[in-house]
Amino acid sequence: MTGTVSYVSEDGRALAELPFGAEELVRGYRAMRRARLFDERAVTLQRQGRLGVYPLFRGQEAAQVGAALALGEGDWLVPTYRETAAAITHGLPLATALLYWRAHPSGWSFPEGVRVLPFYVPIATQLPHAVGVAHAGRLRGEGWVVLAFVGDGGTSEGDAHEALNFAAVFSAPVVFVVQNNGWAISVPTERQMRNTRIADRAAGYGIPGVRVDGNDLVAVWDVVGRAVARARAGEGPTLVEAVTYRLAPHTTSDDPSRYRDESVTGERGKAEPLARMRALLQGLGAWSDQREEALVAELRAEFDAAVAEADEAPEPAPEAIVEEVYAAMGPDQRRAWEALRGG
Ligand SMILES: Cc1ncc(C[n+]2csc(CCOP(=O)(O)OP(=O)(O)O)c2C)c(N)n1
């Protein structure tokens, strides 16, 4: 049985000597605040009809931002639909993220140099790909580490087992981060698995498994950082379970009150990661209401500029919908492409 790593209490007190200095902690808080603002504004855009279905991540900022901050620039991040916070922290431009959630072709492929794979919607299919990127990098001597995200529900898929086993056997430089947010749409974790301590499964693969308080930015950042260093040193994969809670609906199309008691969600919300980190920083004398105000103003301006940039993306041609499926078009794809072009 694995214990749960935490550094900061729910009310923002340090429980142990912190592995990061004040400057780094502020950097981490800023990245979480930036992600929260993105999430809030994205929901507003969706309600205005300016984004498609959007999967919120409110309450999961520490798990995502902490893990992403543990990567180096040359490392790869492999996200599911839930990980917009991680993706923008690892360099995905905000405008590209918005275009992706607008289902605009300009958001389908991420810019050159951004080491983030596109958001995966088919559950757990990203995991074998992530292991492939890691293994290929090792064979080619690239030196990169891959951070692969999956949800608690996703770990029930066959792809998760295959990816974990392959990565373990071949010592692939990959870190698996399971965001255990308690729900797979309407199915609670205890209805998905007998042992809800997902990190315990690592023993079955012969790799380290670490359970971490996923609402504690410092703990996630430190634990994933150690796993990244291990992977980079050729010691193979780690399974990190970040225990958090899905405070928001599954997506903007979901009504969680149909399947769960939302008063429990309210209770769980008291442990949300931003307030905890802000309290920690204020206790250290490294943050103030004025700094918060200035940061929010700066982030609003950045987001507004990203929306303006996304709005300028050219109207997509109808045939774009069948492009970029395969590197070379097969006969069916070409027929569809020609028909959509009107030729
Ligand atoms: C292969 C596959 N099966 C089913 C679905 C439908 N589906 C979308 S989200 C989801 C639940 C995933 O839960 P979890 O992995 O815990 O991630 P979370 O949404 O909580 O982040 C399911 C079953 C899908 N997208 N892909």
Side-chain angles (χ1 to χ4, degrees), residues 81-82 121-123 151-154 157 181 183-185 246 250:
Y81 50 86
R82 186 74 64 206
V121 177
I123 304 299
D152 41 86
E157 290 279 357
N181 67 4
W183 296 89
I185 312 184
R246 202 195 77 213
H250 173 68

Side-chain angles (χ1 to χ4, degrees), residues 57-63 152 178-183 212-215 241-247 268 271 273:
F57 53 75
R58 189 170 74 240
Q60 297 183 222
E61 293 87 351
D152 41 86
V178 181
Q179 284 191 87
N180 185 350
N181 67 4
W183 296 89
V212 59
D213 180 343
N215 291 344
E241 176 191 1
V243 183
T244 178
Y245 201 75
R246 202 195 77 213
L247 297 178
R268 298 296 296 257

Side-chain angles (χ1 to χ4, degrees), residues 4-26:
T4 303
V5 180
S6 64
Y7 276 100
V8 183
S9 68
E10 285 183 15
D11 59 356
R13 279 174 301 107
L15 300 169
E17 196 184 329
L18 300 179
F20 305 108
E23 208 171 296
E24 272 176 303
L25 295 174
V26 167

Side-chain angles (χ1 to χ4, degrees), residues 9 31 35 111-112 118 296 336 339:
S9 68
E112 205 60 40
V296 171

Side-chain angles (χ1 to χ4, degrees), residues 93-163:
L94 301 188
T96 312
L98 289 171
L99 286 163
Y100 181 92
W101 294 118
R102 199 173 269 187
H104 191 290
S106 305
W108 293 348
S109 42
F110 292 172
E112 205 60 40
V114 173
R115 296 216 158 174
V116 180
L117 295 194
F119 299 108
Y120 281 67
V121 177
I123 304 299
T125 54
Q126 74 280 5
L127 297 180
H129 293 178
V131 175
V133 174
H135 189 52
R138 185 149 180 245
L139 294 178
R140 284 164 36 176
E142 301 278 4
W144 63 54
V145 171
V146 178
L147 171 62
F149 284 98
V150 64
D152 41 86
T155 66
S156 302
E157 290 279 357
D159 273 348
H161 164 66
E162 291 172 28

Side-chain angles (χ1 to χ4, degrees), residues 105 108 316-325 337 340:
W108 293 348
E319 65 271 21
I321 200 157
V322 295
E323 290 170 351
E324 294 186 34
V325 178
W337 186 75
L340 287 162

